[in-house]
Amino acid sequence: TTYLSQKVRQWVFRGTLGGNIGSALKNLTQGANTYAKLGEKYTLKGYLQTFRELANGGDELIKEGVLHDRFISDRAPSVYRGLTEKLDEGLFYMFDMAERINRGGAYFGGKAQALDKGLDERAAIEYAKKIVRDTQFTFGSIDTPLVLSSDIAKTLLQFQSFNIKQLEFLAEMVKAKDFAGLIRWTGATFLVMKTVGKLWDMDFGDIIPSIKVGSTPTIQAAAGGLQMFSGDERTREKGLDKLTRSLVAHIPGGVQAR
């Protein structure tokens, strides 16, 4: 079960996020979390330093482990390691670059803020890494929500780990009565929705994260297959349509190609 479900999730990641320009652009909107925590000055400083760092290879981000435990998981090596690594490197280039920009902006912005507060270099780095965890989240096994601890749950709720963590992020600001941060987050997200968000039809439903069970391509494909062998002709036709649409999401770059 572990092996098969992991393989299925790998191919769904490749099919849905692989080469997907819209997903990479949408990922950049997570910068609203950084802005909510750091404000204008340090968010701007963070992104400017990130672009300088990326131009020089991004050594500090790698050295401090800022790029570990990112959203696309299940990249375990296999007997086809060389082939799949090259495939993934190309498919996820844009999405990974968006992740680098997001995490770099949070890291360097947090570090600049900590240094201005008088913290020493090491303490400032640790503070910056906490800002990254708080705003961009980590998706390793230790940080996986309890509800996603089993392989079946991971398959049923694939892509929902981000929504769960985003809900937690907003709930923490509400709990802490960080109304200034909430206003900054809402304003930034609304601005993105009304500008570049139109490129991927972003609407109000995308602003507040929601949890959808069983909406993953794998589950939809299975549901479509069952419909094909049950019910009347119309139901079978709907099942075939659902099955073919869902299978596209298991082909590398399939969603973007469609």
Side-chain angles (χ1 to χ4, degrees):
T1 301
T2 299
Y3 177 81
L4 290 176
S5 61
Q6 184 184 70
K7 290 301 177 185
V8 166
R9 293 194 300 272
Q10 286 176 350
W11 286 102
V12 169
F13 275 130
R14 292 177 181 124
T16 54
L17 302 182
N20 195 322
I21 301 170
S23 292
L25 291 173
K26 188 174 182 180
N27 190 22
L28 287 173
T29 65
Q30 205 172 338
N33 290 359
T34 301
Y35 176 56
K37 282 288 186 181
L38 297 180
E40 295 82 1
K41 177 181 177 180
Y42 294 107
T43 299
L44 180 60
K45 278 189 171 185
Y47 278 103
L48 289 176
Q49 181 59 33
T50 296
F51 291 125
R52 286 193 290 266
E53 186 76 9
L54 290 176
N56 295 322
D59 291 341
E60 185 170 348
L61 297 177
I62 296 171
K63 176 185 175 183
E64 297 299 335
V66 177
L67 304 178
H68 290 171
D69 293 333
R70 290 175 287 175
F71 179 68
I72 300 176
S73 56
D74 299 316
R75 291 190 184 180
S78 69
V79 292
Y80 305 107
R81 179 176 179 178
L83 178 61
T84 54
E85 281 186 347
K86 289 178 181 178
L87 175 66
D88 289 350
E89 185 177 347
L91 285 173
F92 299 130
Y93 177 81
M94 290 183 292
F95 196 90
D96 282 348
M97 182 55 67
E99 284 268 273
R100 284 172 176 263
I101 293 171
N102 285 341
R103 292 176 179 275
Y107 174 80
F108 288 114
K111 184 179 178 181
Q113 185 183 64
L115 290 173
D116 285 352
K117 287 181 178 180
L119 275 67
D120 61 39
E121 179 82 7
R122 191 65 246 170
I125 288 174
E126 293 305 316
Y127 174 82
K129 289 162 77 171
K130 182 180 184 302
I131 292 294
V132 174
R133 291 194 298 271
D134 289 346
T135 63
Q136 307 306 311
F137 318 136
T138 53
F139 298 91
S141 58
I142 293 177
D143 301 290
T144 299
L146 185 61
V147 70
L148 297 177
S149 58
S150 75
D151 289 286
I152 297 299
K154 288 178 183 177
T155 304
L156 286 171
L157 294 167
Q158 189 171 4
F159 301 111
Q160 301 306 308
S161 56
F162 170 80
N163 289 336
I164 293 172
K165 288 175 181 288
Q166 185 66 28
L167 283 171
E168 290 175 347
F169 172 77
L170 296 174
E172 282 295 324
M173 284 200 292
V174 172
K175 183 179 179 181
K177 297 182 180 180
D178 184 6
F179 299 118
L182 285 168
I183 291 172
R184 285 196 295 266
W185 181 85
T186 303
T189 305
F190 185 80
L191 178 64
V192 169
M193 183 185 73
K194 290 299 183 181
T195 53
V196 295
K198 293 181 178 180
L199 290 172
W200 62 89
D201 298 324
M202 186 179 181
D203 57 26
F204 285 103
D206 294 315
I207 293 180
I208 303 300
S210 58
I211 310 302
K212 299 177 182 179
V213 179
S215 62
T216 62
T218 303
I219 303 303
Q220 290 299 302
L226 290 174
Q227 279 184 272
M228 287 177 60
F229 297 100
S230 61
D232 55 25
E233 184 177 351
R234 186 178 180 184
T235 301
R236 291 194 294 271
E237 288 177 355
K238 286 184 177 180
L240 177 61
D241 181 64
K242 184 184 292 185
L243 175 63
T244 52
R245 284 177 172 272
S246 301
L247 288 179
V248 167
H250 294 74
I251 301 170
V255 169
Q256 181 62 62
R258 183 179 65 194

PDB file of all heavy atoms in Angstrom, residues 1-6 8-9 74 146-160 212-216 218-219:
ATOM      1  N   THR A   1       0.825  -1.206   0.000  1.00  0.00           N
ATOM      2  CA  THR A   1       0.000   0.000   0.000  1.00  0.00           C
ATOM      3  C   THR A   1       0.856   1.251   0.000  1.00  0.00           C
ATOM      4  O   THR A   1       0.594   2.198  -0.739  1.00  0.00           O
ATOM      5  CB  THR A   1      -0.926   0.008   1.232  1.00  0.00           C
ATOM      6  OG1 THR A   1      -1.750  -1.163   1.202  1.00  0.00           O
ATOM      7  CG2 THR A   1      -1.807   1.252   1.248  1.00  0.00           C
ATOM      8  N   THR A   2       1.873   1.246   0.849  1.00  0.00           N
ATOM      9  CA  THR A   2       2.772   2.403   0.917  1.00  0.00           C
ATOM     10  C   THR A   2       3.448   2.652  -0.434  1.00  0.00           C
ATOM     11  O   THR A   2       3.478   3.784  -0.932  1.00  0.00           O
ATOM     12  CB  THR A   2       3.854   2.178   1.996  1.00  0.00           C
ATOM     13  OG1 THR A   2       3.211   2.019   3.261  1.00  0.00           O
ATOM     14  CG2 THR A   2       4.826   3.342   2.050  1.00  0.00           C
ATOM     15  N   TYR A   3       3.999   1.582  -1.011  1.00  0.00           N
ATOM     16  CA  TYR A   3       4.730   1.711  -2.274  1.00  0.00           C
ATOM     17  C   TYR A   3       3.810   2.199  -3.398  1.00  0.00           C
ATOM     18  O   TYR A   3       4.126   3.150  -4.117  1.00  0.00           O
ATOM     19  CB  TYR A   3       5.347   0.363  -2.647  1.00  0.00           C
ATOM     20  CG  TYR A   3       6.060   0.372  -3.982  1.00  0.00           C
ATOM     21  CD1 TYR A   3       7.368   0.868  -4.090  1.00  0.00           C
ATOM     22  CD2 TYR A   3       5.435  -0.102  -5.127  1.00  0.00           C
ATOM     23  CE1 TYR A   3       8.014   0.887  -5.318  1.00  0.00           C
ATOM     24  CE2 TYR A   3       6.076  -0.083  -6.359  1.00  0.00           C
ATOM     25  CZ  TYR A   3       7.371   0.412  -6.443  1.00  0.00           C
ATOM     26  OH  TYR A   3       7.996   0.435  -7.666  1.00  0.00           O
ATOM     27  N   LEU A   4       2.660   1.540  -3.558  1.00  0.00           N
ATOM     28  CA  LEU A   4       1.763   1.866  -4.663  1.00  0.00           C
ATOM     29  C   LEU A   4       1.163   3.266  -4.516  1.00  0.00           C
ATOM     30  O   LEU A   4       1.082   4.026  -5.492  1.00  0.00           O
ATOM     31  CB  LEU A   4       0.645   0.822  -4.753  1.00  0.00           C
ATOM     32  CG  LEU A   4       1.064  -0.567  -5.209  1.00  0.00           C
ATOM     33  CD1 LEU A   4      -0.124  -1.521  -5.160  1.00  0.00           C
ATOM     34  CD2 LEU A   4       1.656  -0.536  -6.623  1.00  0.00           C
ATOM     35  N   SER A   5       0.728   3.621  -3.302  1.00  0.00           N
ATOM     36  CA  SER A   5       0.124   4.936  -3.107  1.00  0.00           C
ATOM     37  C   SER A   5       1.149   6.043  -3.325  1.00  0.00           C
ATOM     38  O   SER A   5       0.834   7.107  -3.874  1.00  0.00           O
ATOM     39  CB  SER A   5      -0.491   5.050  -1.707  1.00  0.00           C
ATOM     40  OG  SER A   5       0.496   4.889  -0.701  1.00  0.00           O
ATOM     41  N   GLN A   6       2.398   5.800  -2.913  1.00  0.00           N
ATOM     42  CA  GLN A   6       3.449   6.786  -3.128  1.00  0.00           C
ATOM     43  C   GLN A   6       3.708   6.989  -4.615  1.00  0.00           C
ATOM     44  O   GLN A   6       3.848   8.126  -5.083  1.00  0.00           O
ATOM     45  CB  GLN A   6       4.733   6.355  -2.424  1.00  0.00           C
ATOM     46  CG  GLN A   6       5.854   7.393  -2.537  1.00  0.00           C
ATOM     47  CD  GLN A   6       7.150   6.904  -1.910  1.00  0.00           C
ATOM     48  OE1 GLN A   6       7.801   6.008  -2.428  1.00  0.00           O
ATOM     49  NE2 GLN A   6       7.512   7.483  -0.789  1.00  0.00           N
ATOM     50  N   VAL A   8       1.617   6.467  -7.065  1.00  0.00           N
ATOM     51  CA  VAL A   8       0.463   7.163  -7.649  1.00  0.00           C
ATOM     52  C   VAL A   8       0.579   8.665  -7.386  1.00  0.00           C
ATOM     53  O   VAL A   8       0.362   9.487  -8.292  1.00  0.00           O
ATOM     54  CB  VAL A   8      -0.855   6.608  -7.065  1.00  0.00           C
ATOM     55  CG1 VAL A   8      -2.021   7.536  -7.403  1.00  0.00           C
ATOM     56  CG2 VAL A   8      -1.123   5.218  -7.622  1.00  0.00           C
ATOM     57  N   ARG A   9       0.927   9.040  -6.159  1.00  0.00           N
ATOM     58  CA  ARG A   9       1.035  10.468  -5.817  1.00  0.00           C
ATOM     59  C   ARG A   9       2.159  11.128  -6.593  1.00  0.00           C
ATOM     60  O   ARG A   9       2.049  12.288  -7.018  1.00  0.00           O
ATOM     61  CB  ARG A   9       1.249  10.642  -4.305  1.00  0.00           C
ATOM     62  CG  ARG A   9       0.052  10.234  -3.466  1.00  0.00           C
ATOM     63  CD  ARG A   9       0.169  10.745  -2.034  1.00  0.00           C
ATOM     64  NE  ARG A   9       1.359  10.239  -1.361  1.00  0.00           N
ATOM     65  CZ  ARG A   9       1.414   9.088  -0.695  1.00  0.00           C
ATOM     66  NH1 ARG A   9       0.345   8.292  -0.656  1.00  0.00           N
ATOM     67  NH2 ARG A   9       2.512   8.711  -0.078  1.00  0.00           N
ATOM     68  N   ASP A  74       7.241  12.933  -1.780  1.00  0.00           N
ATOM     69  CA  ASP A  74       7.256  11.602  -2.407  1.00  0.00           C
ATOM     70  C   ASP A  74       8.265  11.517  -3.557  1.00  0.00           C
ATOM     71  O   ASP A  74       8.009  10.881  -4.571  1.00  0.00           O
ATOM     72  CB  ASP A  74       5.867  11.227  -2.927  1.00  0.00           C
ATOM     73  CG  ASP A  74       4.841  11.165  -1.821  1.00  0.00           C
ATOM     74  OD1 ASP A  74       5.176  10.599  -0.764  1.00  0.00           O
ATOM     75  OD2 ASP A  74       3.737  11.681  -2.001  1.00  0.00           O
ATOM     76  N   LEU A 146      -1.709  15.275  11.529  1.00  0.00           N
ATOM     77  CA  LEU A 146      -2.065  13.935  11.985  1.00  0.00           C
ATOM     78  C   LEU A 146      -3.047  13.252  11.042  1.00  0.00           C
ATOM     79  O   LEU A 146      -2.956  12.051  10.785  1.00  0.00           O
ATOM     80  CB  LEU A 146      -2.653  14.010  13.400  1.00  0.00           C
ATOM     81  CG  LEU A 146      -2.980  12.673  14.084  1.00  0.00           C
ATOM     82  CD1 LEU A 146      -1.718  11.832  14.238  1.00  0.00           C
ATOM     83  CD2 LEU A 146      -3.635  12.916  15.430  1.00  0.00           C
ATOM     84  N   VAL A 147      -3.971  14.027  10.490  1.00  0.00           N
ATOM     85  CA  VAL A 147      -4.989  13.464   9.614  1.00  0.00           C
ATOM     86  C   VAL A 147      -4.375  12.885   8.336  1.00  0.00           C
ATOM     87  O   VAL A 147      -4.978  12.054   7.665  1.00  0.00           O
ATOM     88  CB  VAL A 147      -6.053  14.536   9.271  1.00  0.00           C
ATOM     89  CG1 VAL A 147      -5.468  15.612   8.354  1.00  0.00           C
ATOM     90  CG2 VAL A 147      -7.283  13.903   8.624  1.00  0.00           C
ATOM     91  N   LEU A 148      -3.144  13.306   8.005  1.00  0.00           N
ATOM     92  CA  LEU A 148      -2.474  12.827   6.794  1.00  0.00           C
ATOM     93  C   LEU A 148      -1.369  11.824   7.100  1.00  0.00           C
ATOM     94  O   LEU A 148      -0.491  11.600   6.278  1.00  0.00           O
ATOM     95  CB  LEU A 148      -1.873  14.017   6.021  1.00  0.00           C
ATOM     96  CG  LEU A 148      -2.861  15.050   5.484  1.00  0.00           C
ATOM     97  CD1 LEU A 148      -2.107  16.197   4.817  1.00  0.00           C
ATOM     98  CD2 LEU A 148      -3.824  14.415   4.496  1.00  0.00           C
ATOM     99  N   SER A 149      -1.418  11.220   8.275  1.00  0.00           N
ATOM    100  CA  SER A 149      -0.325  10.342   8.687  1.00  0.00           C
ATOM    101  C   SER A 149      -0.312   9.001   7.963  1.00  0.00           C
ATOM    102  O   SER A 149       0.731   8.359   7.849  1.00  0.00           O
ATOM    103  CB  SER A 149      -0.384  10.106  10.202  1.00  0.00           C
ATOM    104  OG  SER A 149      -1.632   9.534  10.565  1.00  0.00           O
ATOM    105  N   SER A 150      -1.452   8.533   7.455  1.00  0.00           N
ATOM    106  CA  SER A 150      -1.488   7.248   6.750  1.00  0.00           C
ATOM    107  C   SER A 150      -1.381   7.445   5.243  1.00  0.00           C
ATOM    108  O   SER A 150      -1.712   8.512   4.720  1.00  0.00           O
ATOM    109  CB  SER A 150      -2.786   6.507   7.061  1.00  0.00           C
ATOM    110  OG  SER A 150      -3.882   7.079   6.381  1.00  0.00           O
ATOM    111  N   ASP A 151      -0.923   6.425   4.539  1.00  0.00           N
ATOM    112  CA  ASP A 151      -0.758   6.526   3.094  1.00  0.00           C
ATOM    113  C   ASP A 151      -2.096   6.659   2.377  1.00  0.00           C
ATOM    114  O   ASP A 151      -2.192   7.353   1.360  1.00  0.00           O
ATOM    115  CB  ASP A 151      -0.006   5.298   2.570  1.00  0.00           C
ATOM    116  CG  ASP A 151       1.456   5.318   2.974  1.00  0.00           C
ATOM    117  OD1 ASP A 151       2.211   6.106   2.387  1.00  0.00           O
ATOM    118  OD2 ASP A 151       1.832   4.573   3.887  1.00  0.00           O
ATOM    119  N   ILE A 152      -3.118   6.001   2.885  1.00  0.00           N
ATOM    120  CA  ILE A 152      -4.447   6.119   2.282  1.00  0.00           C
ATOM    121  C   ILE A 152      -4.952   7.553   2.407  1.00  0.00           C
ATOM    122  O   ILE A 152      -5.476   8.144   1.446  1.00  0.00           O
ATOM    123  CB  ILE A 152      -5.443   5.147   2.949  1.00  0.00           C
ATOM    124  CG1 ILE A 152      -5.008   3.696   2.721  1.00  0.00           C
ATOM    125  CG2 ILE A 152      -6.847   5.372   2.399  1.00  0.00           C
ATOM    126  CD1 ILE A 152      -4.952   3.279   1.267  1.00  0.00           C
ATOM    127  N   ALA A 153      -4.761   8.153   3.593  1.00  0.00           N
ATOM    128  CA  ALA A 153      -5.199   9.535   3.817  1.00  0.00           C
ATOM    129  C   ALA A 153      -4.430  10.501   2.920  1.00  0.00           C
ATOM    130  O   ALA A 153      -4.995  11.445   2.380  1.00  0.00           O
ATOM    131  CB  ALA A 153      -5.023   9.908   5.281  1.00  0.00           C
ATOM    132  N   LYS A 154      -3.124  10.245   2.757  1.00  0.00           N
ATOM    133  CA  LYS A 154      -2.318  11.103   1.891  1.00  0.00           C
ATOM    134  C   LYS A 154      -2.826  11.074   0.459  1.00  0.00           C
ATOM    135  O   LYS A 154      -2.769  12.074  -0.256  1.00  0.00           O
ATOM    136  CB  LYS A 154      -0.850  10.651   1.926  1.00  0.00           C
ATOM    137  CG  LYS A 154      -0.124  10.970   3.211  1.00  0.00           C
ATOM    138  CD  LYS A 154       1.301  10.429   3.169  1.00  0.00           C
ATOM    139  CE  LYS A 154       2.031  10.665   4.479  1.00  0.00           C
ATOM    140  NZ  LYS A 154       3.389  10.073   4.452  1.00  0.00           N
ATOM    141  N   THR A 155      -3.301   9.917   0.029  1.00  0.00           N
ATOM    142  CA  THR A 155      -3.821   9.785  -1.331  1.00  0.00           C
ATOM    143  C   THR A 155      -5.199  10.430  -1.462  1.00  0.00           C
ATOM    144  O   THR A 155      -5.491  11.118  -2.442  1.00  0.00           O
ATOM    145  CB  THR A 155      -3.898   8.299  -1.726  1.00  0.00           C
ATOM    146  OG1 THR A 155      -2.598   7.712  -1.576  1.00  0.00           O
ATOM    147  CG2 THR A 155      -4.351   8.139  -3.168  1.00  0.00           C
ATOM    148  N   LEU A 156      -6.057  10.213  -0.457  1.00  0.00           N
ATOM    149  CA  LEU A 156      -7.391  10.810  -0.468  1.00  0.00           C
ATOM    150  C   LEU A 156      -7.338  12.329  -0.383  1.00  0.00           C
ATOM    151  O   LEU A 156      -8.169  13.035  -0.961  1.00  0.00           O
ATOM    152  CB  LEU A 156      -8.219  10.274   0.698  1.00  0.00           C
ATOM    153  CG  LEU A 156      -8.744   8.841   0.596  1.00  0.00           C
ATOM    154  CD1 LEU A 156      -9.343   8.411   1.918  1.00  0.00           C
ATOM    155  CD2 LEU A 156      -9.778   8.730  -0.518  1.00  0.00           C
ATOM    156  N   LEU A 157      -6.326  12.836   0.351  1.00  0.00           N
ATOM    157  CA  LEU A 157      -6.236  14.272   0.608  1.00  0.00           C
ATOM    158  C   LEU A 157      -4.993  14.888  -0.035  1.00  0.00           C
ATOM    159  O   LEU A 157      -4.458  15.876   0.480  1.00  0.00           O
ATOM    160  CB  LEU A 157      -6.228  14.533   2.117  1.00  0.00           C
ATOM    161  CG  LEU A 157      -7.519  14.178   2.859  1.00  0.00           C
ATOM    162  CD1 LEU A 157      -7.288  14.175   4.364  1.00  0.00           C
ATOM    163  CD2 LEU A 157      -8.625  15.153   2.503  1.00  0.00           C
ATOM    164  N   GLN A 158      -4.541  14.320  -1.135  1.00  0.00           N
ATOM    165  CA  GLN A 158      -3.381  14.898  -1.811  1.00  0.00           C
ATOM    166  C   GLN A 158      -3.683  16.344  -2.190  1.00  0.00           C
ATOM    167  O   GLN A 158      -4.776  16.667  -2.643  1.00  0.00           O
ATOM    168  CB  GLN A 158      -3.025  14.094  -3.063  1.00  0.00           C
ATOM    169  CG  GLN A 158      -1.695  14.517  -3.674  1.00  0.00           C
ATOM    170  CD  GLN A 158      -1.238  13.577  -4.781  1.00  0.00           C
ATOM    171  OE1 GLN A 158      -1.944  12.646  -5.147  1.00  0.00           O
ATOM    172  NE2 GLN A 158      -0.071  13.825  -5.331  1.00  0.00           N
ATOM    173  N   PHE A 159      -2.716  17.224  -1.998  1.00  0.00           N
ATOM    174  CA  PHE A 159      -2.802  18.669  -2.232  1.00  0.00           C
ATOM    175  C   PHE A 159      -3.502  19.409  -1.090  1.00  0.00           C
ATOM    176  O   PHE A 159      -3.526  20.629  -1.084  1.00  0.00           O
ATOM    177  CB  PHE A 159      -3.542  19.008  -3.546  1.00  0.00           C
ATOM    178  CG  PHE A 159      -2.901  18.428  -4.767  1.00  0.00           C
ATOM    179  CD1 PHE A 159      -3.519  17.414  -5.466  1.00  0.00           C
ATOM    180  CD2 PHE A 159      -1.680  18.897  -5.215  1.00  0.00           C
ATOM    181  CE1 PHE A 159      -2.937  16.868  -6.591  1.00  0.00           C
ATOM    182  CE2 PHE A 159      -1.081  18.364  -6.339  1.00  0.00           C
ATOM    183  CZ  PHE A 159      -1.706  17.343  -7.030  1.00  0.00           C
ATOM    184  N   GLN A 160      -4.075  18.677  -0.121  1.00  0.00           N
ATOM    185  CA  GLN A 160      -4.798  19.358   0.949  1.00  0.00           C
ATOM    186  C   GLN A 160      -3.900  19.744   2.126  1.00  0.00           C
ATOM    187  O   GLN A 160      -4.332  20.508   3.002  1.00  0.00           O
ATOM    188  CB  GLN A 160      -5.942  18.478   1.451  1.00  0.00           C
ATOM    189  CG  GLN A 160      -6.957  18.102   0.387  1.00  0.00           C
ATOM    190  CD  GLN A 160      -7.529  19.304  -0.332  1.00  0.00           C
ATOM    191  OE1 GLN A 160      -8.009  20.234   0.295  1.00  0.00           O
ATOM    192  NE2 GLN A 160      -7.477  19.290  -1.656  1.00  0.00           N
ATOM    193  N   LYS A 212     -10.949  19.513   0.751  1.00  0.00           N
ATOM    194  CA  LYS A 212     -11.773  18.704  -0.140  1.00  0.00           C
ATOM    195  C   LYS A 212     -11.296  17.251  -0.068  1.00  0.00           C
ATOM    196  O   LYS A 212     -10.161  16.954  -0.420  1.00  0.00           O
ATOM    197  CB  LYS A 212     -11.673  19.218  -1.574  1.00  0.00           C
ATOM    198  CG  LYS A 212     -12.157  20.655  -1.742  1.00  0.00           C
ATOM    199  CD  LYS A 212     -11.955  21.141  -3.169  1.00  0.00           C
ATOM    200  CE  LYS A 212     -12.393  22.585  -3.317  1.00  0.00           C
ATOM    201  NZ  LYS A 212     -12.170  23.088  -4.701  1.00  0.00           N
ATOM    202  N   VAL A 213     -12.165  16.376   0.372  1.00  0.00           N
ATOM    203  CA  VAL A 213     -11.823  14.959   0.514  1.00  0.00           C
ATOM    204  C   VAL A 213     -12.204  14.218  -0.769  1.00  0.00           C
ATOM    205  O   VAL A 213     -13.318  14.369  -1.273  1.00  0.00           O
ATOM    206  CB  VAL A 213     -12.565  14.325   1.712  1.00  0.00           C
ATOM    207  CG1 VAL A 213     -12.208  12.853   1.835  1.00  0.00           C
ATOM    208  CG2 VAL A 213     -12.227  15.077   2.996  1.00  0.00           C
ATOM    209  N   GLY A 214     -11.257  13.427  -1.285  1.00  0.00           N
ATOM    210  CA  GLY A 214     -11.554  12.603  -2.441  1.00  0.00           C
ATOM    211  C   GLY A 214     -11.616  13.335  -3.760  1.00  0.00           C
ATOM    212  O   GLY A 214     -12.142  12.811  -4.742  1.00  0.00           O
ATOM    213  N   SER A 215     -11.073  14.557  -3.812  1.00  0.00           N
ATOM    214  CA  SER A 215     -11.116  15.320  -5.060  1.00  0.00           C
ATOM    215  C   SER A 215      -9.869  15.114  -5.911  1.00  0.00           C
ATOM    216  O   SER A 215      -9.729  15.731  -6.961  1.00  0.00           O
ATOM    217  CB  SER A 215     -11.279  16.813  -4.751  1.00  0.00           C
ATOM    218  OG  SER A 215     -10.165  17.292  -4.012  1.00  0.00           O
ATOM    219  N   THR A 216      -8.942  14.266  -5.462  1.00  0.00           N
ATOM    220  CA  THR A 216      -7.700  14.060  -6.194  1.00  0.00           C
ATOM    221  C   THR A 216      -7.965  13.282  -7.487  1.00  0.00           C
ATOM    222  O   THR A 216      -8.940  12.526  -7.580  1.00  0.00           O
ATOM    223  CB  THR A 216      -6.691  13.282  -5.342  1.00  0.00           C
ATOM    224  OG1 THR A 216      -7.235  11.989  -5.050  1.00  0.00           O
ATOM    225  CG2 THR A 216      -6.416  13.996  -4.034  1.00  0.00           C
ATOM    226  N   THR A 218      -6.655  10.649  -8.715  1.00  0.00           N
ATOM    227  CA  THR A 218      -6.693   9.203  -8.534  1.00  0.00           C
ATOM    228  C   THR A 218      -8.069   8.737  -8.080  1.00  0.00           C
ATOM    229  O   THR A 218      -8.624   7.763  -8.613  1.00  0.00           O
ATOM    230  CB  THR A 218      -5.640   8.776  -7.493  1.00  0.00           C
ATOM    231  OG1 THR A 218      -4.345   9.225  -7.924  1.00  0.00           O
ATOM    232  CG2 THR A 218      -5.607   7.262  -7.332  1.00  0.00           C
ATOM    233  N   ILE A 219      -8.627   9.422  -7.100  1.00  0.00           N
ATOM    234  CA  ILE A 219      -9.950   9.052  -6.587  1.00  0.00           C
ATOM    235  C   ILE A 219     -11.022   9.311  -7.644  1.00  0.00           C
ATOM    236  O   ILE A 219     -11.946   8.515  -7.819  1.00  0.00           O
ATOM    237  CB  ILE A 219     -10.267   9.829  -5.293  1.00  0.00           C
ATOM    238  CG1 ILE A 219      -9.175   9.577  -4.242  1.00  0.00           C
ATOM    239  CG2 ILE A 219     -11.634   9.430  -4.757  1.00  0.00           C
ATOM    240  CD1 ILE A 219      -8.964   8.128  -3.905  1.00  0.00           C
TER     241      ILE A 219
END
